[in-house]
Every structure is written in C-alpha cells, then in structure tokens.
Amino acid sequence: MFRDSAAAFAEAGVALRGVSTQRPDEQRAFAEAEDLPFPLLSDVDLTLCAALRLPTFRAGQDLRLKRAIVIADAGRTIHHVLHPVTDLPAAVEEALRLGAGVARERQAGAGARIRR
C-alpha cells in the first residue's frame, strides 16, 4: 500500500521509511522482491523499539514489530502515531493526510524564519 502511494507522499514532501526487526540482508531481499521505492531500516537490536515502546509480538523465537505508523518530522519529533492499523488502505490515506500537514507546517515555519 505504501509502495503504491509513494509518489503521492513524495509530492506532499513526506519521506517514507519502513522499519522492521529483520536483518538488513533480509530487508534488502524483501525490498527488491516487492520493488519498494523507499528504504527499510533495520531495528534488529530493538533499540528504536525500546526507545519508543513500539508494540511487538513473537513469531517463533523472533520479536517482531506490530504494524504502526509513526509520523515524525526531520527533527525527529513525533507528531502522530496510528495504531492499531486494522484497515491498511485507510491508514495509508490518513498517514498521507497527517504527514502532508506536518510537511506544510515545516514549510510555513521555514518561510517565517527566512522572512525575518
């Protein structure tokens, strides 16, 4: 779903990133197989997961992230979190709307600083 909407996110000034607890080599294989136009970030050591207290589940012996959408700005301030994600198409639309709003706020703030 995010793959199919990547152009709309880019047009809105929103950078997409995926995060999982998979190893980087597993992520590369997945990204290639799925033709993802955005990077996947590995949290194999669970650093981000612990810092943000992201929701997880066990799959066999592995700890995996539950689907959540985090909308943060370039300064790493989190503005919105969508969880649980039960309707992925609706969540992608909501993420685009919220992310575009954050991008607009960032642009407006940058414009205000330049005008001073």
Side-chain angles (χ1 to χ4, degrees):
M1 302 297 320
F2 280 99
R3 176 192 61 214
D4 300 337
S5 300
F9 277 90
E11 188 176 308
V14 177
L16 289 175
R17 303 291 184 264
V19 178
S20 80
T21 58
Q22 292 177 303
R23 296 185 324 263
D25 61 309
E26 293 173 319
Q27 288 180 320
R28 273 190 299 279
F30 176 79
E32 287 174 12
E34 296 296 319
D35 195 30
L36 295 182
F38 53 87
L40 296 179
L41 309 176
S42 177
D43 191 27
V44 72
D45 295 328
L46 304 173
T47 304
L48 182 67
C49 179
L52 298 182
R53 297 182 182 171
L54 296 172
T56 60
F57 67 97
R58 285 228 172 259
Q61 297 300 315
D62 298 321
L63 195 61
R64 300 291 189 204
L65 294 171
K66 289 184 179 180
R67 186 173 284 151
I69 300 170
V70 178
I71 298 157
D73 63 24
R76 300 184 298 188
T77 299
I78 295 172
H79 292 263
H80 307 281
V81 176
L82 304 177
H83 182 269
V85 176
T86 56
D87 180 349
L88 189 53
V92 170
E93 287 180 24
E94 180 73 353
L96 177 56
R97 184 184 69 76
L98 294 170
V102 170
R104 279 192 304 275
E105 288 174 16
R106 182 182 69 229
Q107 290 288 52
R113 287 191 295 275
I114 291 170
R115 282 185 236 124
R116 287 183 187 179

